[in-house]
Amino acid sequence: MHQKKLTIPDIRHRKNGTPISVLTAYDYPWGRLVDAAGIDIALVGDSLGMVVLGYPDTVSVTMEEMIHHSKAVVRGVEHALVVTDMPFGSYNSSMPAAINNATRLLKEGRADAVKVEGGVAMAETVAAIVRAGIPVQGHIGLTPQTATSLGGFKVQGKSAHAAQQLLDDARALEEAGCFSIVLEAIPAPLAEHITKAISIPTIGIGAGPGCDGQVLVIHDLVGLYDRFTPKFVKQYARINEQVAAALAQYKTEVESRAFPDEAHSFSMKAEEMDKLLQLY
Ligand code: KIV
């Protein structure tokens, strides 16, 4: 079935409609799988630093890495909107650097939009990127790039004061021109309240069912990342167990010469082999 490529207006129109499905993807095969499943947004998240590149955090991820992985995902996607994360340090040093780096993610990374972490403090930068013609998705609540300042990977917005700040953040990003906002690790009633208070779609991760869409890190969803699994992750598969079993069987079959068998080998005419042996 051929489906048309999703656009920013398509996502905006899903406010209060059918929930928007978002999954991370970091390369061509996962881009293809996410797209074939009909997922609306393939997010090239900087979580790639942890789940694919083995860094301890997302802070280490570079522009070159984001561009490299974004290009690979785009090659596998026909229908989903591709949103690529701006890595730490690529948008917080100056406005021209932010615009330049966001432009690179579209021109070189072939993304359809970029994602930026931060609320009120980032609103001016977001507005400048949007004015440059680049669609921006916001990200507030638990923002992994600045998790240390937030006191670690903790639920945000639990007090009335902190909740009010998150509402201000969401409104500032809406005003700045974001087409949607990721709400990460905040109480479900607060996420629902923010969702009702703004006119752009909210995408929740650990933010309960009251958002306009949901996002998960695909390696968490399929059971490929076992270093740490947050409470909000639902594991729909455990493919690491299947992969481990397949690799163990391969090793056994190589050592016992059960692999490769005839079905996985090439033959040649016996007389050609005889001719070869006569050459000696
Ligand atoms: O980097 C990422 O994967 C993200 C999602 C968790 C929203 O930002």
Side-chain angles (χ1 to χ4, degrees):
M1 184 181 57
H2 181 75
Q3 284 179 297
K4 80 171 185 52
K5 170 86 182 171
L6 279 174
T7 63
I8 301 295
D10 291 334
I11 299 299
R12 278 179 175 273
H13 289 144
R14 295 275 287 277
K15 179 79 189 171
N16 301 320
T18 305
I20 301 159
S21 55
V22 186
L23 279 176
T24 62
Y26 310 105
D27 58 18
Y28 174 76
W30 284 107
R32 277 179 65 95
L33 285 167
V34 163
D35 201 53
I39 300 298
D40 299 306
I41 299 180
L43 171 65
V44 188
D46 61 355
S47 49
L48 93 88
M50 296 173 76
V51 303
V52 174
L53 303 178
Y55 294 146
D57 49 42
T58 58
V59 171
S60 322
V61 178
T62 66
M63 274 297 294
E64 269 56 43
E65 286 163 343
M66 292 311 299
I67 289 170
H68 179 77
H69 286 268
S70 184
K71 280 196 295 198
V73 170
V74 168
R75 285 193 287 268
V77 165
E78 285 177 32
H79 163 256
L81 191 82
V82 178
V83 178
T84 298
D85 255 336
M86 295 199 70
F88 184 68
S90 69
Y91 59 96
N92 7 32
S93 58
S94 75
M95 209 89 91
I99 296 171
N100 183 44
N101 284 321
T103 305
R104 286 190 69 198
L105 290 178
L106 262 65
K107 274 179 94 87
E108 298 171 50
R110 307 304 302 162
D112 299 308
V114 300
K115 178 163 77 61
V116 168
E117 292 186 8
V120 171
M122 287 317 302
E124 264 184 58
T125 303
V126 166
I129 299 172
V130 172
R131 273 197 304 276
I134 298 165
V136 180
Q137 182 171 63
H139 183 161
I140 59 173
L142 172 53
T143 42
Q145 293 175 6
T146 45
T148 311
S149 315
L150 300 174
F153 284 80
K154 286 185 180 160
V155 178
Q156 303 295 306
K158 288 185 93 164
S159 69
H161 177 68
Q164 180 59 48
Q165 282 182 335
L166 283 174
L167 183 57
D168 292 346
D169 284 336
R171 287 196 167 123
L173 291 176
E174 176 187 25
E175 178 79 7
C178 281
F179 71 93
S180 67
I181 305 178
V182 170
L183 305 178
E184 178 162 354
I186 67 172
L190 173 61
E192 192 174 343
H193 182 68
I194 293 175
T195 300
K196 286 184 179 147
I198 61 175
S199 63
I200 53 173
T202 58
I203 311 290
I205 173 162
C211 299
D212 297 300
Q214 298 293 328
V215 55
L216 280 179
V217 167
I218 197 152
H219 283 49
D220 289 337
L221 182 151
V222 299
L224 259 184
Y225 186 70
D226 55 7
R227 269 209 213 156
F228 167 69
T229 308
K231 170 185 155 78
F232 55 73
V233 167
K234 180 169 175 190
Q235 222 172 41
Y236 288 80
R238 292 180 185 277
I239 61 173
N240 53 346
E241 288 169 13
Q242 279 172 280
V243 171
L247 303 193
Q249 189 179 347
Y250 168 72
K251 176 178 159 66
T252 306
E253 291 190 8
V254 167
E255 288 176 358
S256 68
R257 297 188 187 280
F259 176 83
D261 55 11
E262 225 180 286
H264 298 93
S265 305
F266 300 103
S267 62
M268 69 191 276
K269 287 185 183 144
E271 62 260 36
E272 293 301 325
M273 196 59 207
D274 287 345
K275 272 193 228 162
L276 170 71
L277 295 177
Q278 279 158 27
L279 292 178
Y280 299 102

